[in-house]
Structures are given as C-alpha cells and as structure tokens.
Amino acid sequence: MRSISSPAPTHEAITVPGLAGRTETYGDLLALCDGFTGCNDVTTASVVGLVSRAISCLSPCLTDLSVRVLILLIEHVYDVRAWRSGRLTVWPGNRRLAELTGRNERSIRRALCLLEANHWVVRRYSASNRRSDGNAGIDLRPVAARLHELRQAAEFIEQKIESARERAKAERDDLARLDACEDTSSDSLHEHKESGEEDVSVPLKSYKLNPGSTNLVQSGAAQATPGQRSCATISDIDVDSEILFLMVQASPTLQKQLTAAELCDLMGPEPSSASVQAVAMAVKSTLSHQIKLRPAVWRVALAKHGWAAMAAVMVAVDRQGVRDPAGYLYAMLKSARLRDTVRHNLRAIEQQESGHA
C-alpha cells in the first residue's frame, strides 16, 4: 500500500518511447489499460455505434475530426475475438488516416493527441519513434475499458430524447384542446353578438357623445411601438443546446466574458439557467459595443431565429476576414437557414483558433 506522503506518479517518471507529448494523466491512462482484461458480447459495430452516439456527452471537447479518427481506428479491429482477449492494438499510419478523412497528417497528429489526452487511446511508439514496429501501434483498450460509461451516456441521451418527445406530444395535445376551446368560445361569442346587436348601439352612441372615455386607450396605443407585443425576449426563447455548446466552444469573444465556473457548467450536459443567461448577456453586450445594428432589425431576427441569431453575433465578431461585422451579421440574419449557417461558421472559427483553417 502506498503511503499517504508519497507523491503520485507523473508522466515524467514513466519511460515512454517516442517523441510525442503526453498528457499529465498518462499514468492513469496506462493504469486504465492494464486493468482491462477483455469483454464479452461486444462487436466492432456495436462499439462504433456507442462512440457515435455518446462520446460527445463524455468528452464534449473532442472535435469532429478526432471522433472520426477514433471510429476509423475502431473499425480496424476486424476480429471479434480481439474484444474478448483484450488484444486491441491497431497499426494505421498518419498518412493512411489522413487519406481516409481528407485531412493532412498534422491534423491527424492533433486529433490523436486529443484522443489520448481524453483517455480514449494510447499511442505506443518504438525506440525509433515508429508506430509500426514491435509492440508499437495505437492501443484501443481505453475505449473498451470505458464501454460501460458509453452505455450509461447513451441511455441518458435516449432518456432526454424520450422526455423531449413526451413534452412535445403534451404541448400538441394542449394546443389541440386550446383550439377546441377557442372554437367553442368563438361560436358562443358569435351567437351573443347576433342576439345583442341592438344593445351594442348604446355604448357606441355614448362614445360618440363622450370621446374622452377612449383617451386612455388611445394614449397607450400611441406610446406602443410597432411589434412590441410580438417581440420575443431571450427568456421567451427555448435554449438550442447544440448551438449554445458550439458558441461556448468556438467563440473566444464569448469565452472572455464568462467565468471559469460558467464555462465548465455550459460544457456539461445540462447547463444551469444562470449560465445560459450569462451567455445571453454577453451576446447583448457584444451587440451593443462591437456591432451597430438597428434595434428593430435585431428584434425581428431574434423572434425569427432565436439562438441562431445570437450565435450569428459571435460569428460576425470572431470570423477571420470580416471587415464589417454589422453588414456581415445583417446578411446572415436574412438567411432562411440561419441555424445551418452558424453551425458551419462556428466550426470554422473553432478550426481557425486551433490552426486548422
């Protein structure tokens, strides 16, 4: 048993062949590999399915390329007996992975480094710094050792999807009942009007004789601005979880305005309302100080596009090469498929920040 005063082993104390940089928790990663002895009733296809569905829930910082590379590595396990025996080393080179993904080898190295830092693979090198010699290669035992985590995450996602379906169905049922009640009320009102047409003329005559009785209503209407009642606010708009996550992950301008605690909360599966409100306030501040957009235009865009409009603000200030953020934002807001547009742009911003663009 290790004494309490003895320091935990670090990656500097571990002799690792090769020149690749290692994560600070490399010792824990090796322990995860050593603790895996095999698993039954597992196929390569089932592991690929679990990774595709649930890995973003466990490691939200992984890029699309890193997840694609991990799936390609798993698909190199051709024998189902490998999952039972625990012999899960594969040997595709960076050049081969680059050809399969359409990226360059530098991007592949970064993706593999990110996968190892998040405890999904181990890059093993020979003394000559090669992955194709001897016991070298890419060790997939961390993925196999974490299959139970992937299953739990997949179940959690399925529960959220089912809950969302039930809420949507309940909302549709409520709307149907409301429409039925409105139709009944309209019929009743129509019958009441037909039976009381003569009585209606009495108050109308009094309005003509004493028009001052309507001054209060008229003054209130004069003070109202067009579209004031139908203008949506941030609190009225349902949170778009995917857009929110992409904004926080990609936008450096937004990240600078949030605290570390808010960033950690927003990267989780269920951000708190306070953190979401902090994002909305940051977008409002950016819109006020860095982009001069007419308030009326913004109100219409917010009501039409919701969180996609807020994400467009961050795209306008963070996308490289944009000289006129206001004009760029105005052009984006006119797009009928703004959500798809901002998703593409946020991923492009994320790549430009990591040097991939």
Side-chain angles (χ1 to χ4, degrees):
M1 180 179 296
R2 186 188 304 158
S3 62
I4 297 178
S5 59
S6 62
T10 61
H11 67 287
E12 289 86 356
I14 301 173
T15 302
V16 182
L19 303 177
R22 301 294 183 174
T23 176
E24 294 181 357
T25 58
Y26 188 70
D28 297 332
L29 179 58
L30 293 182
L32 181 65
C33 286
D34 295 338
F36 176 73
T37 57
C39 51
N40 296 321
D41 301 326
V42 173
T43 64
T44 298
S46 65
V47 176
V48 168
L50 282 173
V51 169
S52 301
R53 294 195 305 271
I55 196 169
S56 60
C57 185
L58 297 176
S59 298
C61 60
L62 291 179
T63 62
D64 292 343
L65 176 61
S66 60
V67 175
R68 175 60 178 153
V69 168
L70 179 58
I71 291 174
L72 287 173
L73 293 173
I74 295 171
E75 289 175 343
H76 278 74
V77 181
Y78 303 113
D79 191 349
V80 68
R81 291 174 295 182
W83 298 103
R84 294 196 295 267
S85 64
R87 294 191 295 270
L88 293 169
T89 300
V90 294
W91 296 271
N94 291 345
R95 179 180 300 179
R96 176 58 176 164
L97 293 173
E99 292 174 353
L100 292 173
T101 58
R103 307 296 290 272
N104 54 48
E105 294 186 39
R106 183 181 179 184
S107 299
I108 297 300
R109 287 193 293 270
R110 289 180 176 176
L112 291 172
C113 181
L114 188 59
L115 288 171
E116 187 176 84
N118 284 271
H119 290 199
W120 293 107
V121 301
V122 178
R123 296 168 297 168
R124 297 190 183 277
Y125 294 88
S126 65
S128 59
N129 195 43
R130 296 176 64 85
R131 289 207 312 262
S132 57
D133 296 340
N135 295 325
I138 298 179
D139 193 345
L140 296 177
R141 284 184 294 172
V143 177
R146 299 181 66 183
L147 286 178
H148 68 286
E149 297 180 35
L150 287 168
R151 292 190 184 100
Q152 290 176 351
E155 292 176 0
F156 172 75
I157 293 172
E158 288 297 330
Q159 291 174 359
K160 289 189 65 177
I161 293 174
E162 186 62 28
S163 298
R165 289 173 179 170
E166 292 177 356
R167 287 196 301 269
K169 183 179 183 301
E171 290 175 359
R172 290 194 299 269
D173 293 342
D174 290 341
L175 288 174
R177 286 193 293 269
L178 182 60
D179 291 340
C181 292
E182 288 180 351
D183 292 340
T184 304
S185 300
S186 299
D187 294 340
S188 301
L189 181 60
H190 181 67
E191 293 176 359
H192 176 72
K193 285 182 177 180
E194 289 180 348
S195 61
E197 286 181 355
E198 296 180 357
D199 296 334
V200 173
S201 61
V202 177
L204 288 177
K205 292 178 181 178
S206 66
Y207 289 147
K208 293 179 181 179
L209 295 174
N210 185 17
S213 60
T214 61
N215 287 344
L216 181 61
V217 178
Q218 292 174 353
S219 62
Q223 293 174 1
T225 58
Q228 184 176 4
R229 291 185 178 180
S230 61
C231 177
T233 62
I234 299 298
S235 58
D236 297 330
I237 302 173
D238 292 335
V239 178
D240 189 325
S241 300
E242 181 183 7
I243 294 296
L244 175 63
F245 176 78
L246 289 174
M247 289 170 63
V248 176
Q249 186 179 25
S251 172
T253 300
L254 181 59
Q255 293 167 6
K256 292 176 183 178
Q257 300 184 62
L258 300 173
T259 65
E262 290 170 341
L263 286 171
C264 291
D265 181 38
L266 290 164
M267 296 298 282
E270 293 186 356
S272 65
S273 58
S275 298
V276 174
Q277 187 64 25
V279 173
M281 295 303 296
V283 173
K284 183 178 179 180
S285 176
T286 302
L287 190 64
S288 301
H289 295 90
Q290 300 187 41
I291 300 179
K292 303 301 180 182
L293 191 70
R294 287 181 296 170
V297 174
W298 175 246
R299 287 195 298 268
V300 173
L302 191 62
K304 181 178 180 181
H305 299 293
W307 276 87
M310 290 190 282
V313 175
M314 311 317 299
V315 169
V317 297
D318 287 323
R319 187 70 192 262
Q320 288 182 354
V322 177
R323 297 183 179 180
D324 181 13
Y328 190 81
L329 175 60
Y330 183 74
M332 289 181 67
L333 294 177
K334 293 191 294 183
S335 172
R337 302 180 61 182
L338 180 62
R339 190 176 187 274
D340 294 336
T341 302
V342 296
R343 288 172 62 201
H344 169 76
N345 279 274
L346 288 171
R347 290 193 174 98
I349 292 171
E350 181 182 1
Q351 291 181 357
Q352 80 185 18
E353 291 299 318
S354 60
H356 290 231

